[in-house]
Amino acid sequence: AQKVTQAQTEISVVEKEDVTLDCVYETRDTTYYLFWYKQPPSGELVFLIRRNSFDEQNEISGRYSWNFQKSTSSFNFTITASQVVDSAVYFCALSEYTGANSKLTFGKGITLSVRP
Amino acid sequence: NAGVTQTPKFQVLKTGQSMTLQCAQDMNHEYMSWYRQDPGMGLRLIHYSVGAGITDQGEVPNGYNVSRSTTEDFPLRLLSAAPSQTSVYFCASSANRVMGGYTFGSGTRLTVV
C-alpha cells in the first residue's frame, strides 16, 4: 500500500532563513507521481508541483526547489529566503499508477511558521 | 469561473441529523473524490468516483454515502451525523487521477454537536 510520511509536524523559522520540508514515500509501483500542495491560513489547497517517477531532475521555481531521490524514496521541498507569506501547511502526496484503484494519498502535513 | 464548487461552506449539525454536502465541477473531469481533513491527520480519502455511475470507497468511508449520477456532481451524504464527523471536507476533481492536476474545492467546515 502506498504511504507518505512527513515526519516534521511543525517548523518555525525567522524570515529570510532557508527551510527544507521532508517527504518520504512508500510504493510498490515503478510508475507514480509525487505532489506538493500548500494550504495557507485561508484554507484552500494550492497545487505547487508534480513529479513523475521517471524524472529525477531537481526543479527550481523562484525561491522554491524540490529534490527528488528515488534511492531514498524522498521528495523534499526547500524554500530559500523564506517570507511571512510562506506560512502555511504543506502537504506531500503520492499517486500510484494502479489503474482503477489509483488514488491520491496525502502525508499528514507540515505547519510552517515564518516569523518576521 | 471554472473549478470545483462546494456548498455549504459552513454547517452545524446535531448528532443524528443527516445532510448532503454538494460538490459540482464544470471542467468535464471524470474523476472526483471527497477528502476529510482533521488536525494532525492530513487529508484522508472518503469516497471517489471514476465516472458517472461508478463510485468506490476510500480510506474512511464509514458513515458516508455517495452517488454519481452526472459527470458534474458528486454529493456526499452523512446518514446520521456523529461528533467524530466534525471535520473540514474537500471535494476534488481531475481529468487524470494518476497524473494529478487535481482541482480542490474551497472546503466545507462541518461541526456536529
Side-chain angles (χ1 to χ4, degrees):
Chain A
Q2 59 193 70
K3 183 179 178 181
V4 176
T5 301
Q6 296 181 265
Q8 305 151 309
T9 54
E10 296 183 16
I11 300 175
S12 182
V13 299
V14 177
E15 207 170 18
K16 298 184 183 177
E17 283 186 23
D18 299 347
V19 57
T20 295
L21 311 181
D22 298 332
C23 174
V24 174
Y25 62 93
E26 295 177 27
T27 176
R28 298 175 191 169
D29 277 13
T30 56
T31 303
Y32 52 89
Y33 288 80
L34 294 161
F35 307 83
W36 275 94
Y37 284 85
K38 174 182 180 180
Q39 186 177 44
S42 52
E44 73 272 23
L45 285 156
V46 179
F47 167 80
L48 295 178
I49 190 172
R50 174 182 65 208
R51 173 69 69 207
N52 75 56
S53 53
F54 298 107
D55 183 1
E56 287 194 72
Q57 281 192 338
N58 292 333
E59 180 152 343
I60 298 174
S61 176
R63 297 184 297 107
Y64 294 172
S65 61
W66 291 268
N67 184 319
F68 175 32
Q69 292 195 338
K70 288 179 73 171
S71 60
T72 56
S73 297
S74 65
F75 186 43
N76 297 338
F77 174 27
T78 297
I79 301 174
T80 302
S82 60
Q83 299 177 2
V84 172
V85 293
D86 296 325
S87 296
V89 181
Y90 291 87
F91 292 98
C92 181
L94 165 70
S95 176
E96 289 178 327
Y97 187 75
T98 53
N101 293 324
S102 176
K103 35 191 173 284
L104 189 63
T105 299
F106 285 84
K108 294 185 178 181
I110 302 170
T111 300
L112 174 65
S113 299
V114 182
R115 308 186 307 276
Chain B
N1 290 338
V4 178
T5 302
Q6 283 185 241
T7 56
K9 292 190 183 302
F10 302 94
Q11 183 71 48
V12 178
L13 286 180
K14 294 183 179 180
T15 297
Q17 286 185 319
S18 62
M19 80 159 294
T20 299
L21 307 185
Q22 301 292 345
C23 176
Q25 53 93 6
D26 57 3
M27 298 170 285
N28 202 33
H29 286 170
E30 290 295 325
Y31 184 77
M32 297 185 73
S33 53
W34 277 101
Y35 288 86
R36 60 177 288 172
Q37 182 181 13
D38 303 292
M41 300 297 291
L43 282 86
R44 293 180 292 169
L45 183 64
I46 304 172
H47 284 286
Y48 64 97
S49 169
V50 299
I54 306 170
T55 63
D56 205 348
Q57 297 180 349
E59 181 184 356
V60 287
N62 292 341
Y64 307 95
N65 270 358
V66 292
S67 60
R68 185 94 179 271
S69 56
T70 66
T71 299
E72 295 76 22
D73 300 299
F74 190 43
L76 178 72
R77 297 183 187 85
L78 279 70
L79 308 173
S80 177
S84 61
Q85 294 178 304
T86 294
S87 187
V88 179
Y89 292 85
F90 287 96
C91 179
S93 75
S94 175
N96 184 310
R97 63 186 179 275
V98 177
M99 294 178 62
Y102 287 79
T103 301
F104 283 84
S106 57
T108 296
R109 184 173 293 275
L110 175 68
T111 302
V112 183
V113 297

mmCIF file of all heavy atoms in Angstrom, chain B residues 22-41:
data_model
loop_
_atom_site.group_PDB
_atom_site.id
_atom_site.type_symbol
_atom_site.label_atom_id
_atom_site.label_comp_id
_atom_site.label_asym_id
_atom_site.label_seq_id
_atom_site.Cartn_x
_atom_site.Cartn_y
_atom_site.Cartn_z
ATOM 1 N N GLN B 22 -22.647 19.297 -1.054
ATOM 2 C CA GLN B 22 -22.700 19.340 -2.508
ATOM 3 C C GLN B 22 -21.330 19.637 -3.107
ATOM 4 O O GLN B 22 -20.538 20.390 -2.544
ATOM 5 C CB GLN B 22 -23.685 20.414 -2.966
ATOM 6 C CG GLN B 22 -25.110 20.215 -2.476
ATOM 7 C CD GLN B 22 -25.787 19.009 -3.099
ATOM 8 O OE1 GLN B 22 -25.324 18.447 -4.105
ATOM 9 N NE2 GLN B 22 -26.896 18.575 -2.499
ATOM 10 N N CYS B 23 -21.076 19.015 -4.251
ATOM 11 C CA CYS B 23 -19.844 19.264 -4.987
ATOM 12 C C CYS B 23 -20.172 19.245 -6.471
ATOM 13 O O CYS B 23 -20.781 18.279 -6.958
ATOM 14 C CB CYS B 23 -18.781 18.221 -4.674
ATOM 15 S SG CYS B 23 -17.270 18.425 -5.656
ATOM 16 N N ALA B 24 -19.777 20.289 -7.168
ATOM 17 C CA ALA B 24 -20.016 20.363 -8.606
ATOM 18 C C ALA B 24 -18.767 20.907 -9.292
ATOM 19 O O ALA B 24 -18.117 21.804 -8.783
ATOM 20 C CB ALA B 24 -21.210 21.264 -8.905
ATOM 21 N N GLN B 25 -18.476 20.319 -10.467
ATOM 22 C CA GLN B 25 -17.343 20.815 -11.258
ATOM 23 C C GLN B 25 -17.789 21.006 -12.695
ATOM 24 O O GLN B 25 -18.647 20.275 -13.192
ATOM 25 C CB GLN B 25 -16.145 19.859 -11.164
ATOM 26 C CG GLN B 25 -16.416 18.422 -11.482
ATOM 27 C CD GLN B 25 -16.165 18.021 -12.919
ATOM 28 O OE1 GLN B 25 -15.672 18.802 -13.734
ATOM 29 N NE2 GLN B 25 -16.528 16.781 -13.246
ATOM 30 N N ASP B 26 -17.185 21.981 -13.336
ATOM 31 C CA ASP B 26 -17.582 22.303 -14.714
ATOM 32 C C ASP B 26 -16.429 22.126 -15.693
ATOM 33 O O ASP B 26 -16.373 22.794 -16.733
ATOM 34 C CB ASP B 26 -18.139 23.726 -14.786
ATOM 35 C CG ASP B 26 -17.147 24.770 -14.287
ATOM 36 O OD1 ASP B 26 -16.009 24.392 -13.949
ATOM 37 O OD2 ASP B 26 -17.523 25.949 -14.222
ATOM 38 N N MET B 27 -15.518 21.235 -15.358
ATOM 39 C CA MET B 27 -14.340 21.007 -16.199
ATOM 40 C C MET B 27 -14.434 19.681 -16.959
ATOM 41 O O MET B 27 -13.463 19.259 -17.584
ATOM 42 C CB MET B 27 -13.088 21.039 -15.314
ATOM 43 C CG MET B 27 -12.889 22.381 -14.649
ATOM 44 S SD MET B 27 -11.607 22.366 -13.392
ATOM 45 C CE MET B 27 -12.451 21.528 -12.066
ATOM 46 N N ASN B 28 -15.563 19.015 -16.832
ATOM 47 C CA ASN B 28 -15.777 17.729 -17.501
ATOM 48 C C ASN B 28 -14.772 16.667 -17.048
ATOM 49 O O ASN B 28 -14.380 15.787 -17.818
ATOM 50 C CB ASN B 28 -15.716 17.877 -19.033
ATOM 51 C CG ASN B 28 -16.448 16.750 -19.735
ATOM 52 O OD1 ASN B 28 -17.440 16.229 -19.243
ATOM 53 N ND2 ASN B 28 -15.940 16.347 -20.890
ATOM 54 N N HIS B 29 -14.381 16.772 -15.774
ATOM 55 C CA HIS B 29 -13.463 15.783 -15.221
ATOM 56 C C HIS B 29 -14.199 14.495 -14.899
ATOM 57 O O HIS B 29 -15.284 14.511 -14.312
ATOM 58 C CB HIS B 29 -12.819 16.331 -13.945
ATOM 59 C CG HIS B 29 -11.782 17.369 -14.203
ATOM 60 N ND1 HIS B 29 -11.229 18.136 -13.188
ATOM 61 C CD2 HIS B 29 -11.180 17.767 -15.339
ATOM 62 C CE1 HIS B 29 -10.329 18.954 -13.699
ATOM 63 N NE2 HIS B 29 -10.292 18.751 -15.008
ATOM 64 N N GLU B 30 -13.586 13.375 -15.255
ATOM 65 C CA GLU B 30 -14.188 12.091 -14.948
ATOM 66 C C GLU B 30 -13.994 11.710 -13.475
ATOM 67 O O GLU B 30 -14.832 11.078 -12.871
ATOM 68 C CB GLU B 30 -13.571 11.004 -15.847
ATOM 69 C CG GLU B 30 -13.964 11.091 -17.303
ATOM 70 C CD GLU B 30 -15.457 10.842 -17.494
ATOM 71 O OE1 GLU B 30 -16.042 10.015 -16.758
ATOM 72 O OE2 GLU B 30 -16.050 11.505 -18.367
ATOM 73 N N TYR B 31 -12.855 12.060 -12.937
ATOM 74 C CA TYR B 31 -12.509 11.612 -11.592
ATOM 75 C C TYR B 31 -12.870 12.666 -10.556
ATOM 76 O O TYR B 31 -12.489 13.830 -10.686
ATOM 77 C CB TYR B 31 -11.012 11.320 -11.513
ATOM 78 C CG TYR B 31 -10.570 10.766 -10.186
ATOM 79 C CD1 TYR B 31 -10.797 9.435 -9.853
ATOM 80 C CD2 TYR B 31 -9.924 11.578 -9.251
ATOM 81 C CE1 TYR B 31 -10.392 8.923 -8.633
ATOM 82 C CE2 TYR B 31 -9.524 11.068 -8.030
ATOM 83 C CZ TYR B 31 -9.760 9.740 -7.734
ATOM 84 O OH TYR B 31 -9.362 9.223 -6.528
ATOM 85 N N MET B 32 -13.625 12.234 -9.526
ATOM 86 C CA MET B 32 -13.952 13.124 -8.419
ATOM 87 C C MET B 32 -13.763 12.367 -7.114
ATOM 88 O O MET B 32 -13.908 11.129 -7.074
ATOM 89 C CB MET B 32 -15.383 13.657 -8.540
ATOM 90 C CG MET B 32 -15.602 14.508 -9.780
ATOM 91 S SD MET B 32 -17.246 15.247 -9.859
ATOM 92 C CE MET B 32 -17.114 16.530 -8.591
ATOM 93 N N SER B 33 -13.464 13.112 -6.068
ATOM 94 C CA SER B 33 -13.211 12.455 -4.790
ATOM 95 C C SER B 33 -13.563 13.379 -3.641
ATOM 96 O O SER B 33 -13.639 14.601 -3.810
ATOM 97 C CB SER B 33 -11.739 12.032 -4.696
ATOM 98 O OG SER B 33 -10.879 13.126 -4.957
ATOM 99 N N TRP B 34 -13.780 12.775 -2.483
ATOM 100 C CA TRP B 34 -14.024 13.501 -1.255
ATOM 101 C C TRP B 34 -12.955 13.140 -0.234
ATOM 102 O O TRP B 34 -12.640 11.954 -0.037
ATOM 103 C CB TRP B 34 -15.390 13.134 -0.669
ATOM 104 C CG TRP B 34 -16.539 13.882 -1.254
ATOM 105 C CD1 TRP B 34 -17.427 13.449 -2.192
ATOM 106 C CD2 TRP B 34 -16.949 15.208 -0.916
ATOM 107 N NE1 TRP B 34 -18.348 14.413 -2.470
ATOM 108 C CE2 TRP B 34 -18.081 15.518 -1.702
ATOM 109 C CE3 TRP B 34 -16.475 16.186 -0.027
ATOM 110 C CZ2 TRP B 34 -18.749 16.736 -1.633
ATOM 111 C CZ3 TRP B 34 -17.131 17.396 0.050
ATOM 112 C CH2 TRP B 34 -18.253 17.660 -0.746
ATOM 113 N N TYR B 35 -12.428 14.178 0.419
ATOM 114 C CA TYR B 35 -11.458 14.006 1.486
ATOM 115 C C TYR B 35 -11.985 14.698 2.743
ATOM 116 O O TYR B 35 -12.735 15.668 2.660
ATOM 117 C CB TYR B 35 -10.120 14.650 1.127
ATOM 118 C CG TYR B 35 -9.330 13.936 0.064
ATOM 119 C CD1 TYR B 35 -9.560 14.187 -1.281
ATOM 120 C CD2 TYR B 35 -8.340 13.023 0.402
ATOM 121 C CE1 TYR B 35 -8.827 13.541 -2.264
ATOM 122 C CE2 TYR B 35 -7.601 12.367 -0.577
ATOM 123 C CZ TYR B 35 -7.845 12.633 -1.901
ATOM 124 O OH TYR B 35 -7.126 11.980 -2.869
ATOM 125 N N ARG B 36 -11.534 14.210 3.879
ATOM 126 C CA ARG B 36 -11.742 14.941 5.115
ATOM 127 C C ARG B 36 -10.383 15.295 5.699
ATOM 128 O O ARG B 36 -9.414 14.524 5.583
ATOM 129 C CB ARG B 36 -12.588 14.153 6.125
ATOM 130 C CG ARG B 36 -12.050 12.829 6.569
ATOM 131 C CD ARG B 36 -12.953 12.193 7.630
ATOM 132 N NE ARG B 36 -12.854 12.896 8.925
ATOM 133 C CZ ARG B 36 -13.632 12.646 9.970
ATOM 134 N NH1 ARG B 36 -14.556 11.700 9.913
ATOM 135 N NH2 ARG B 36 -13.462 13.327 11.092
ATOM 136 N N GLN B 37 -10.316 16.469 6.294
ATOM 137 C CA GLN B 37 -9.079 16.943 6.890
ATOM 138 C C GLN B 37 -9.281 17.153 8.373
ATOM 139 O O GLN B 37 -10.144 17.933 8.792
ATOM 140 C CB GLN B 37 -8.608 18.257 6.249
ATOM 141 C CG GLN B 37 -7.295 18.752 6.820
ATOM 142 C CD GLN B 37 -6.824 20.050 6.212
ATOM 143 O OE1 GLN B 37 -7.560 20.740 5.532
ATOM 144 N NE2 GLN B 37 -5.571 20.397 6.445
ATOM 145 N N ASP B 38 -8.487 16.472 9.146
ATOM 146 C CA ASP B 38 -8.525 16.588 10.599
ATOM 147 C C ASP B 38 -7.138 16.959 11.103
ATOM 148 O O ASP B 38 -6.127 16.554 10.508
ATOM 149 C CB ASP B 38 -8.963 15.264 11.228
ATOM 150 C CG ASP B 38 -10.317 14.816 10.706
ATOM 151 O OD1 ASP B 38 -11.298 15.506 11.035
ATOM 152 O OD2 ASP B 38 -10.388 13.826 9.961
ATOM 153 N N PRO B 39 -7.058 17.698 12.195
ATOM 154 C CA PRO B 39 -5.752 18.134 12.720
ATOM 155 C C PRO B 39 -4.802 16.956 12.934
ATOM 156 O O PRO B 39 -5.164 15.964 13.566
ATOM 157 C CB PRO B 39 -6.123 18.802 14.046
ATOM 158 C CG PRO B 39 -7.527 19.264 13.848
ATOM 159 C CD PRO B 39 -8.181 18.219 12.997
ATOM 160 N N GLY B 40 -3.601 17.084 12.376
ATOM 161 C CA GLY B 40 -2.599 16.048 12.566
ATOM 162 C C GLY B 40 -2.806 14.790 11.756
ATOM 163 O O GLY B 40 -2.029 13.840 11.877
ATOM 164 N N MET B 41 -3.863 14.782 10.935
ATOM 165 C CA MET B 41 -4.173 13.555 10.167
ATOM 166 C C MET B 41 -4.009 13.753 8.664
ATOM 167 O O MET B 41 -4.147 12.803 7.894
ATOM 168 C CB MET B 41 -5.603 13.103 10.456
ATOM 169 C CG MET B 41 -5.881 12.775 11.899
ATOM 170 S SD MET B 41 -4.885 11.402 12.470
ATOM 171 C CE MET B 41 -5.610 10.049 11.550
#
